[in-house]
Amino acid sequence: MPRSYRGTAKDKFMPANLDVTHAVSLRSWVASSNGHPDFPIQNLPIGIVSFQSEGPRCGIAIGGSILDVRALLKNGLLDGDAAAFAEAASGSRLNGALALGSGPRIALRRRVSALLQEGAAERAAVESCIHEAESCAVLLPAAVGGYTDFYTGIHHATTVGKLFRPNNPLMPNYKWVPIAYHGRASSIRPSGTPVKRPKGQIKPPDSSSPVFESCRQLDYELELGIWIGEGNELGEPISAADAADHIGGYCLLNDWSARDIQAWEYQPLGPFLAKSFATTISPWIITPEALVPFRASQAPRPPDDPEPLPYLTDPVDIAHGAFDIELEVLIATPKMARAGQGYHRLSLSNARHMYWTPAQMVTHHTSNGCGLNPADLLGTGTISGPGKEEAGSLLETTQGGRAPIVLPSGETRMFLEDYDEVLMLARCHREGFASIGFGVCKSIILPSD
Ligand code: MN
C-alpha cells in the first residue's frame, strides 16, 4: 500500500497517494454498484439523507443504494478517526464533519471501502445499514453560510464578453485576478427542487424606462461547486500550497440566471437579483480523494498571458491542481416527454476549461484575510469549452438570443420556457481507473405567480 495521505499538503494529490480504494479491480457485494456510472465503490460520496425512519443523517451512496453511516457507528463497525467523522456527521448537517478536515474523511473512506468490498467479513452487519436509494431523499448536505461565484471559465468569459465588447471581450484584470462576486446562500437547493421563474425590473430595448415583469430570458449556467472543509481565521490567508487541503469536496452547480434582469441591474456592482432567486446543486459531496485519479495539470497558458502572481502559484497546484471532468447539460420539455424523446444534450464540456484552479480560488478568496467557514460554497463560474456544442449557458449557445436551438420535438428555444427541465451530469473517466460520476443536478421551471 502506498504511503499515507497524512503527509504535507504538498503531497496530497501526488499520484503516489492513490491507494487501495482507487483500484479498478475493486468490486462490491452491493451488486448495483459494480459498473454504476456514478457511484461504484471507488467513489463513496457523502450526503445528508432522509431515510424512512428517524431524522435526516449522513449517508454514503453505493450504486443504487445508500449506506446509513450512523447505523454503522451504532453497530460498532467504525472506530478511531472514521468514528470521529461519523459522530460529527450524526445530525442533519455535515458542517461539523467538514470542519474536521481530511484525516477523518479519509479514514471513513478507507473503512467503508473495506466494509463494502466483495468478501468483507462484516457483510451481514453492514447489510442491515443499507437502504434502496429510491426509498430515500437526498437533501442539502450542509447549512451554507456563504456562497461565492467565480468566473473562471475563460471561454464563457470570452464569448459573453464578445456579445458586449466585440473587440475587447476580456477585461484587463481577467488573467490576473480570479474574478468573483458574493452570491446568496439562502436560495441554494438540492437537485429536484423546482425553480419558480423570477420577476424583476426589465428594460425593453425600445423603452427608456423599465417594467416589473416575469423574466423572459431564463438561463442556466454549468458550474462546479466547491465545498470548503476546514476554514481559516479572519486575517489568516490560506496559501496556494495549503489551499487544496481546505477543500472538503465538489458538486455540480446550476447558477440559474435571469439575463434580462441581469442586463439592466448589473452595472456597477455586478449580479444581484438576476442570480439570487435560485441555485441548484447536486446533493452528494464528491470527496477530493475520489477525484485523485482525475487530477490534471493546469492547462498551459498562451505565451502572451501573464504568469500568475506568486501568491497564486504553487508547483503542486500547477502539476495536479486542475481536473479532467466531463460536464454535460441536457434538456427535456413536456412535448418531448409526450413523444417519449427523453433528454436532449445541449452541451458537453470539461472542467479543464477553467482558467484558475480550485486552490487558486480559495487562496485568492482569503488573500485579503477574509475568513472562509466549513460548508461555505464556491461556484467555479460557467465552464464552457471553445466550441458551440461546449457552451455552458444558453446565452452563449444562442448568441445572446439570436440563434435558436432546435429540439428533437421541433420546438425551438432561445431561453428556457416554463416546465422545461434542465439536467446536469458530471463524469470522470481515465484509463486504468473506474469511472465515477457526481449524480444528478436537475430542476424543472415553474411559471411565475
Ligand atoms: Mn455563474
Side-chain angles (χ1 to χ4, degrees), residues 252-286:
L252 273 162
L253 187 150
N254 184 346
D255 176 27
W256 300 99
S257 300
R259 300 299 181 196
D260 39 9
I261 298 172
Q262 186 177 0
W264 173 235
E265 75 169 8
Y266 85 102
Q267 286 177 319
L269 288 186
F272 183 43
L273 302 178
K275 302 280 192 169
S276 59
F277 59 96
T279 304
T280 305
I281 62 169
S282 58
W284 290 108
I285 296 180
I286 310 300

Side-chain angles (χ1 to χ4, degrees), residues 27-34 62-66 116-118 123 126-127 130 132:
R27 290 174 59 84
S28 171
W29 50 261
V30 179
S32 66
S33 72
N34 298 316
I62 176 77
S65 298
I66 300 176
L116 291 173
Q117 278 173 39
E118 272 183 351
R123 172 174 175 169
V126 178
E127 255 173 336
I130 290 226
E132 288 295 314

Side-chain angles (χ1 to χ4, degrees), residues 15-67:
N17 284 314
L18 291 166
D19 69 16
V20 66
T21 65
H22 299 103
V24 69
S25 56
L26 277 192
R27 290 174 59 84
S28 171
W29 50 261
V30 179
S32 66
S33 72
N34 298 316
H36 193 279
D38 287 319
F39 307 133
I41 191 170
Q42 290 86 355
N43 192 347
L44 304 177
I46 303 162
I48 288 292
V49 180
S50 180
F51 295 98
Q52 285 146 315
S53 60
E54 302 172 41
R57 54 197 185 271
C58 180
I60 292 180
I62 176 77
S65 298
I66 300 176
L67 183 62

Side-chain angles (χ1 to χ4, degrees), residues 4-24:
S4 163
Y5 277 99
R6 286 174 169 248
T8 66
K10 282 193 183 302
D11 290 335
K12 193 125 307 188
F13 299 107
M14 299 296 277
N17 284 314
L18 291 166
D19 69 16
V20 66
T21 65
H22 299 103
V24 69

